[in-house]
Amino acid sequence: MKIYITRHGQTDWNTKWKLQGRTDTELNDFGREQARKTGEGLRRTGIRFDRVYSSPLKRALETAAIISDFAQEAVMKDDRLIELSFGQAEGTTGEERKSIPELAGFDNFFTDPEKYVAKDGAESFESVLARTADFWENEIRPLEKEVSNILVVTHGGTLQSLLLHIDHRELRDYWKVRFPNCSMNLVSLKNGSFKLEWSSRLFY
């Protein structure tokens, strides 16, 4: 079985470097074009999806439908794929966070994950790692003999967690790989073993 995993297309908040988290932003026109071209690129290589999973947030769900050519109603929305909540930091830029005393230390999220402490409704790394592991083990693994190709559409932070479960990076290396919007990653599942085949490939 092959599992293609991607980050949603671009939003206006992406262009402004604002933390989106659980804020339900929408794709911008360029993000929709990224998704469209990605879907076309995959189809040119003969890839068709048997099943599609997405975060329930609009930017991911629309990306999933455009790439796969599934109706949104046919995409399986899964809360385990939702982006981390950033609590009070949502909607802020890095520069803005420097002037908010309550967010002192938040940037450890990116620079030193082992020292990051989730506050005021934000989600911890332990939490996102647990829910994404559950997605792999209890949702995807049982499908090995039933499904050939799966598409999973998620978010930048959650995507890191999904792949960390496969490539066994340490938490300190959470951000070792960067994923542009709609960059594709391939995980295989064969004889009960997951393997990251390739990462951060663009089809547009």
Side-chain angles (χ1 to χ4, degrees):
M1 182 169 67
K2 295 180 178 179
I3 307 100
Y4 295 83
I5 313 167
T6 191
R7 180 186 175 197
H8 61 79
Q10 187 188 86
T11 71
D12 286 344
W13 279 27
N14 285 145
T15 67
K16 299 172 183 176
W17 297 97
K18 288 186 174 185
L19 286 176
Q20 294 176 100
R22 303 282 172 84
T23 305
D24 204 5
T25 56
E26 298 186 1
L27 297 181
N28 60 24
D29 288 341
F30 182 67
R32 295 183 181 96
E33 184 71 359
Q34 288 175 312
R36 184 184 65 78
K37 288 183 176 179
T38 298
E40 291 174 351
L42 290 166
R43 285 187 285 278
R44 280 196 300 271
T45 64
I47 297 169
R48 299 289 189 276
F49 297 108
D50 306 303
R51 187 174 295 199
V52 180
Y53 290 90
S54 174
S55 156
L57 297 180
K58 288 183 287 188
R59 59 190 183 271
L61 185 57
E62 185 176 7
T63 300
I66 294 172
I67 289 177
S68 65
D69 206 26
F70 278 40
Q72 285 196 23
E73 295 75 17
V75 174
M76 302 179 71
K77 296 183 285 293
D78 196 307
D79 287 341
R80 290 169 292 190
L81 300 174
I82 202 169
E83 183 60 296
L84 291 91
S85 170
F86 297 121
Q88 190 176 347
E90 292 205 12
T92 65
T93 65
E95 194 62 32
E96 289 169 342
R97 290 192 292 277
K98 292 177 182 178
S99 62
I100 302 174
E102 294 82 0
L103 297 180
F106 177 86
D107 284 350
N108 282 333
F109 180 82
F110 296 107
T111 62
D112 196 351
E114 291 178 312
K115 293 183 180 178
Y116 174 69
V117 177
K119 300 177 181 178
D120 302 319
E123 184 178 15
S124 68
F125 282 115
E126 291 78 11
S127 173
V128 67
L129 288 166
R131 63 178 165 88
T132 51
D134 186 72
F135 177 76
W136 281 122
E137 299 302 329
N138 295 311
E139 185 68 35
I140 301 302
R141 185 182 294 281
L143 300 175
E144 180 181 359
K145 305 298 184 182
E146 302 176 20
V147 178
S148 296
N149 291 323
I150 292 175
L151 175 65
V152 175
V153 181
T154 184
H155 307 267
T158 305
L159 176 54
Q160 297 283 2
S161 182
L162 283 162
L163 295 186
L164 188 143
H165 184 73
I166 302 302
D167 63 13
H168 308 295
R169 274 175 288 147
E170 299 292 333
L171 180 59
R172 64 174 176 269
D173 295 322
Y174 197 86
W175 302 104
K176 185 177 181 179
V177 183
R178 297 290 179 172
F179 301 107
N181 296 101
C182 286
S183 59
M184 196 64 63
N185 308 271
L186 175 61
V187 172
S188 63
L189 175 57
K190 185 177 181 180
N191 298 325
S193 296
F194 288 108
K195 179 183 177 182
L196 179 61
E197 301 288 348
W198 43 255
S199 188
S200 202
R201 183 175 296 180
L202 293 175
F203 284 80
Y204 63 89

